[in-house]
Amino acid sequence: MKFKGIYPDSKGWFEKFGGRFVPETLMAPVVELEEAYLKYRNDKEFQATLKHLLLTYVGRATPLTFAERLTEKLGGARIFLKREDLAHTGAHKINNAMGQMLLAKKMGKTRIVAETGAGQHGVATATAAALFGLECVIYMGRVDMIRQEPNVHRIQLLGAKVVPVESGTKTLKDAVSEAMRDWVSNIRNTYYLLGSALGPHPYPMMVRDFQSVIGLEAREQIMSVAGKLPDELVACVGGGSNAIGLFYPFLDTESTMTGVEAGGRNFNSGQHAARFQGGSPGILQGTQTYILQNRDGQIEDTHSISAGLDYAAVGPEHAMLKEMGRAQYTSVTDSEAMEAFHQTARLEGILPALESSHALAYAIKRAPKMHRDQILLVGLSGRGDKDLSTVREYDAR
């Protein structure tokens, strides 16, 4: 099925998902943000500045790497990796952080607040804030601070303040809530730099646009080296920014698209973060999408060995693509992701982030079922330096 249409609509809807569900106190700043983004979205000077920053500071274009040894071992499809781990700060998050930071500067904001789970968005935001000379405060759940301690230190070294979140599950969902509370209290001078393609409109659209550089580059690169488009695209899906960034420029093609969620330990409540397999439509933190909730509509606890996938909702554009049948979504377990981490390290000399390891785990199962003339393109969203303590603890069990 080819994708037809332009989304979201003027009110932020991706068919029946998305929208803008915010308290009255946040409506004015959200509308202000939308107006500013629509103004600068097609502004030649803004886009030229962003392109220059991505080229000279972020290090784009990131390479497309043929995973030769992994391909040889598995047989079947040729596996290519889109190397966002080689962007400055080690993940795709910097693409969106640079775009939004430039927008915040244009809006006259002097203070940035953000949330982070795995820490990569926090690092990217702190990096961009340092470059632009803006005050920066990062909210991070206490649980994530413990398992992502290296990134906490990196954020602090970059001059940003890390605020531990002690409420709820002390993970990403709670960090988002605290960042939004800060924004409400400091609307005049503060910009909320949301890290994934979720939240109230215009964030899902805006983050997708800034991350689409991933897919635009990948499309040109695969045509250059292989002379054809990939048969299947694969990316991990937490909030979904790296996946939608890869998928969006391919929506008008015949390429299959597969998003991989966190299957965690098992499918009991609180043991996974697979929204499409274990969730249902609902509203969380400003947007209508698939969420993990009980029969009474209360948000369920989540779990993933990967902090960046440990979230109860998914971006609304992914929800639309799922229901349209344009993309398919599956999950892999903690143990499968960990095995993919080790296999990629030993065969390709790449330590992938545990988020990316979920996509690689699916690719390792999928490639042998495909023909040798087919191409499997995997979004490698980030590098695994941040996860070494988690890997060490897991391997020691």
Side-chain angles (χ1 to χ4, degrees), residues 237-254:
V237 179
S241 63
N242 94 94
I244 203 64
L246 178 62
F247 292 174
Y248 189 67
F250 288 89
L251 288 177
D252 64 346
T253 74
E254 299 292 345

Side-chain angles (χ1 to χ4, degrees), residues 299-355:
I299 303 303
E300 293 186 334
D301 291 343
T302 57
H303 161 78
S304 173
I305 198 166
S306 161
L309 304 185
D310 194 357
Y311 185 63
V314 65
E317 191 161 7
H318 286 292
M320 178 190 72
L321 295 177
K322 166 75 162 59
E323 294 218 343
M324 293 177 89
R326 181 60 189 92
Q328 59 186 11
Y329 296 84
T330 186
S331 65
V332 302
T333 64
D334 288 350
S335 60
E336 289 172 324
M338 193 62 70
E339 174 59 31
F341 174 93
H342 285 298
Q343 198 162 349
T344 305
R346 291 166 183 167
L347 290 175
E348 296 297 337
I350 297 171
L351 296 176
L354 288 179
E355 291 81 8

Side-chain angles (χ1 to χ4, degrees), residues 219-233:
R219 185 165 175 167
E220 181 177 333
Q221 289 167 328
I222 197 64
M223 288 299 297
S224 176
V225 300
K228 58 174 282 188
L229 293 175
D231 295 276
E232 187 169 348
L233 299 161

Side-chain angles (χ1 to χ4, degrees), residues 119-137:
Q120 287 303 113
H121 175 58
V123 170
T125 301
T127 298
L131 180 66
F132 281 77
L134 301 179
E135 180 186 353
C136 184
V137 178

Side-chain angles (χ1 to χ4, degrees), residues 229-302:
L229 293 175
D231 295 276
E232 187 169 348
L233 299 161
V234 184
C236 64
V237 179
S241 63
N242 94 94
I244 203 64
L246 178 62
F247 292 174
Y248 189 67
F250 288 89
L251 288 177
D252 64 346
T253 74
E254 299 292 345
S255 299
T256 298
M257 299 177 180
T258 304
V260 185
E261 297 185 287
R265 300 187 188 97
N266 56 58
F267 274 93
N268 293 328
S269 177
Q271 298 297 304
H272 69 94
R275 290 66 49 97
F276 289 125
Q277 291 183 274
S280 57
I283 297 171
L284 179 63
Q285 294 176 330
T287 193
Q288 181 160 302
T289 184
Y290 271 78
I291 60 176
L292 290 172
Q293 59 186 334
N294 62 24
R295 292 181 179 180
D296 297 322
Q298 298 299 306
I299 303 303
E300 293 186 334
D301 291 343
T302 57

Side-chain angles (χ1 to χ4, degrees), residues 151-203:
N151 274 342
V152 174
H153 191 47
R154 289 171 74 191
I155 292 167
Q156 293 169 335
L157 287 172
L158 289 161
K161 179 182 179 181
V162 181
V163 178
V165 177
E166 306 286 357
S167 59
T169 58
K170 305 176 187 178
T171 56
L172 182 58
K173 171 178 67 69
D174 312 293
V176 172
S177 295
E178 290 302 318
M180 284 188 167
R181 289 189 185 99
D182 185 313
W183 191 23
V184 171
S185 302
N186 300 280
I187 286 170
R188 291 185 63 185
N189 70 331
T190 297
Y191 182 100
Y192 176 30
L193 206 159
L194 183 58
S196 198
L198 39 77
H201 178 64
Y203 282 109

Side-chain angles (χ1 to χ4, degrees), residues 65-77:
T65 299
F66 175 47
E68 184 173 4
R69 295 192 66 215
L70 192 60
T71 296
E72 287 179 359
K73 178 176 181 179
L74 297 172

